Amino acid sequence: MSSYIIEGGNKLEGEVTVSGSKNASLPIIAAAILNPGVTKLYNVPNIHDTQITLQILKYLGCKIKKNRGKIEINSKNIIKKDIPEHLMNQMRSTVILAGAILGRFGEAKFSYPGGCDIGARPIDLHLSAFQKLGINITEEYGFITCKCDKIIGANIDLDFPSVGATENIILASIYAQGVTQITNAAMEPEIVDLAKCLNKMGAKIEGAGTNIIKITGIQKLKDMSYTVMQDRIEAGTFLCAAAVTGGNICLNYKTPEHITPLLNKLEEAGCIININDKKVYIKAPKKLKAVDIKTMPYPGFPTDLQSVLASSLCLAKGTSVIVENIFENRYRYVPELKKMGAKITIEGKTAIIKGVRKLTGANVKSTDLRGGACLVLAGLAAKGITTVNNIEYILRGYEHLDKKLNDIGAKIIIKEGE
Ligand code: EPZ
């Protein structure tokens, strides 16, 4: 496993461009399975998770042409309907490919996606929704086999506004007989992007972005090209990187309305934020003020930015309280931050962060994607050298993170693993 070696203490200053969204790209790549023709996607980030997803499409029989962020997917000759276990295990969110395979072929086989570093990550909401759509499900030897003659539109009321389950239901219902209505649907911008892409292909999806989504089954999709939205979590990560280093940066980022909760918290913490002409400017104070956050489904504060903001709050004046309401194990970065001098106590789903005068560099390890990003940000602000190990977690979700940070004043080098 490789490491970042970070020399801390440099203010971040300059301009950085936010890449395409990981969490919009994955379901949109899955959507290309539904079109038995050619789908062209632009602004797809070249990261581990998109690479794995494209590997699975190739395994299924898709022809893939990649040229930096441009991806051309020809799904005419898909011959397989199962997701290989070794690829499924590398990334649990490949479960949304099952919805697309089912939507087109009425059958799919995949292994139970393991839990991951941030929680059990069950898929009960996905499976019960598939059953409501008339799909038979058998589970044996760790594999799930889904089969049906025809997907029949249904009314599905989600117990929790699960992002993945909402996406899977949309993908599985595109060609359904009749109408599918999702109540208590997730409202994340990535779902809106997926619906926009599918509607451009000829699907009939209404209400994406609200908690009631209606999908009217259609017969055929058409070839088209689509540009994936920018990554709101990467945007938030850079804003917190500026905040934790007392920096002053400009983000080339077109949809700040997607991260209003974070912008509000950063202003409450003393940052000056200006938005104009597709750019977001942030000027951070020498010392942030403590703030409290509660993670919630969109449009609440995003769970994916919880750890990233936490690193900024370690050096704030006062005590901050974080409540993580989405995942049950999303504080695994805390013991690593404490090695750097952070004062954090965990009580159930609450983290209490007592601001300290300084953090000092240490040898720490990424425990998951956003936990790893949190440690990078802490290293940027810490006195001395921080080694962040297991950066493969971080490379799953951030495109050229070290280069982008170095271009605005950070000092990060990569030490390749054995
Ligand atoms: C998506 O994960 C994102 N991943 C996550 O981002 C993000 O944190 C999450 O949504 C919440 O916003 C992708 O889009 C690839 P959920 P997903 O289903 O779909 C429980 C990142 O860092 N649940 O909304 O897996 C689940 O256990 C990643 O980029 C069930 O109980 O999230 C969790 O507690 C991390 N049963 C909660 O719902 C189910 O069947 C939210 O999960 C499904 C989910």
Side-chain angles (χ1 to χ4, degrees), residues 24 27-35 39 41 96 99-100 103 166-175 190-206 208 213 215-216 218 220-227:
I28 285 173
I29 292 171
I33 292 171
L34 289 162
N35 169 30
T39 301
L41 302 176
I96 43 168
T166 302
E167 291 165 345
N168 240 343
I169 298 164
I170 291 172
L171 291 162
S173 310
I174 291 297
Y175 292 126
E190 293 77 19
I191 289 171
V192 175
D193 219 32
L194 170 64
K196 270 192 209 155
C197 176
L198 281 164
N199 283 341
K200 194 175 175 188
M201 293 162 90
K204 201 166 172 351
I205 304 165
E206 299 156 272
I213 298 178
I215 305 109
T216 306
I218 45 100
K220 198 170 160 9
L221 292 174
K222 62 182 189 295
D223 295 359
M224 56 95 229
S225 63
Y226 189 77
T227 300

Side-chain angles (χ1 to χ4, degrees), residues 209-263:
T210 75
N211 61 356
I212 297 183
I213 298 178
K214 197 169 108 176
I215 305 109
T216 306
I218 45 100
Q219 300 297 318
K220 198 170 160 9
L221 292 174
K222 62 182 189 295
D223 295 359
M224 56 95 229
S225 63
Y226 189 77
T227 300
V228 174
M229 65 182 251
Q230 286 179 291
D231 193 311
R232 61 190 171 105
I233 307 302
E234 184 195 12
T237 304
F238 282 113
L239 292 171
C240 290
V244 77
T245 58
N248 176 2
I249 69 168
C250 163
L251 273 194
N252 292 319
Y253 177 57
K254 292 185 267 212
T255 46
E257 65 276 11
H258 287 167
I259 48 171
T260 308
L262 176 72
L263 298 178

Side-chain angles (χ1 to χ4, degrees), residues 22-24 26-27 49 92-93 96 118-127 160-165 167 186 188 190 232-233 296-298 302-304 325-328 330 369-370:
K22 165 177 88 80
N23 291 347
L26 301 180
D49 280 11
R92 62 170 317 285
S93 42
I96 43 168
I118 58 176
R121 310 294 290 275
I123 58 168
D124 53 310
L125 299 176
H126 299 242
L127 298 180
F160 180 87
S162 154
V163 172
E167 291 165 345
E188 272 69 3
E190 293 77 19
R232 61 190 171 105
I233 307 302
M296 295 299 280
Y298 194 87
T303 174
D304 294 348
N325 290 309
I326 307 293
F327 289 106
E328 69 272 23
R330 212 159 194 182
L369 165 55
R370 308 301 175 183

Side-chain angles (χ1 to χ4, degrees), residues 142-402:
F143 280 90
I144 299 170
T145 305
C146 303
K147 237 180 171 46
C148 66
D149 298 333
K150 180 81 189 138
I151 291 183
I152 313 294
N155 289 328
I156 298 168
D157 194 333
L158 289 175
D159 293 348
F160 180 87
S162 154
V163 172
T166 302
E167 291 165 345
N168 240 343
I169 298 164
I170 291 172
L171 291 162
S173 310
I174 291 297
Y175 292 126
Q177 190 178 302
V179 176
T180 296
Q181 177 163 297
I182 309 169
T183 308
N184 196 26
M187 303 190 274
E188 272 69 3
E190 293 77 19
I191 289 171
V192 175
D193 219 32
L194 170 64
K196 270 192 209 155
C197 176
L198 281 164
N199 283 341
K200 194 175 175 188
M201 293 162 90
K204 201 166 172 351
I205 304 165
E206 299 156 272
T210 75
N211 61 356
I212 297 183
I213 298 178
K214 197 169 108 176
I215 305 109
T216 306
I218 45 100
Q219 300 297 318
K220 198 170 160 9
L221 292 174
K222 62 182 189 295
D223 295 359
M224 56 95 229
S225 63
Y226 189 77
T227 300
V228 174
M229 65 182 251
Q230 286 179 291
D231 193 311
R232 61 190 171 105
I233 307 302
E234 184 195 12
T237 304
F238 282 113
L239 292 171
C240 290
V244 77
T245 58
N248 176 2
I249 69 168
C250 163
L251 273 194
N252 292 319
Y253 177 57
K254 292 185 267 212
T255 46
E257 65 276 11
H258 287 167
I259 48 171
T260 308
L262 176 72
L263 298 178
N264 293 340
K265 287 297 170 185
L266 288 172
E267 284 182 323
E268 192 186 321
C271 296
I272 298 165
I273 292 181
N274 285 303
I275 294 169
N276 70 29
D277 187 26
K278 300 183 181 154
K279 291 182 193 286
V280 181
Y281 299 84
I282 181 170
K283 186 167 175 17
K286 212 164 159 351
K287 204 158 183 58
L288 296 172
K289 285 179 255 169
V291 295
D292 297 339
I293 57 169
K294 287 183 173 58
T295 67
M296 295 299 280
Y298 194 87
F301 190 94
T303 174
D304 294 348
L305 287 174
Q306 176 257 102
S307 62
V308 157
L309 182 59
S311 53
S312 315
L313 297 174
C314 290
L315 291 165
K317 194 167 176 310
T319 298
S320 303
V321 177
I322 295 180
V323 182
E324 171 55 61
N325 290 309
I326 307 293
F327 289 106
E328 69 272 23
N329 191 21
R330 212 159 194 182
Y331 289 126
R332 294 181 67 220
Y333 61 87
V334 169
E336 303 303 309
L337 276 183
K338 290 169 90 166
K339 288 181 192 167
M340 301 174 73
K343 288 247 178 311
I344 308 178
T345 45
I346 302 292
E347 287 166 18
K349 56 184 195 173
T350 302
I352 297 149
I353 304 176
K354 207 168 162 324
V356 293
R357 214 171 40 73
K358 70 178 167 59
L359 293 176
T360 51
N363 196 353
V364 292
K365 66 178 187 314
S366 306
T367 51
D368 56 81
L369 165 55
R370 308 301 175 183
C374 151
L375 297 174
V376 171
L377 268 54
L380 294 175
K383 206 166 157 26
I385 301 292
T386 299
T387 302
V388 179
N389 298 305
N390 302 355
I391 62 168
E392 281 69 17
Y393 280 111
I394 303 171
L395 302 178
R396 288 189 46 190
Y398 291 95
E399 190 179 46
H400 312 313
L401 181 63
D402 54 315

Side-chain angles (χ1 to χ4, degrees), residues 98-110:
I101 299 168
L102 273 169
R104 179 161 163 200
F105 299 105
E107 59 173 291
K109 183 176 176 188
F110 52 99

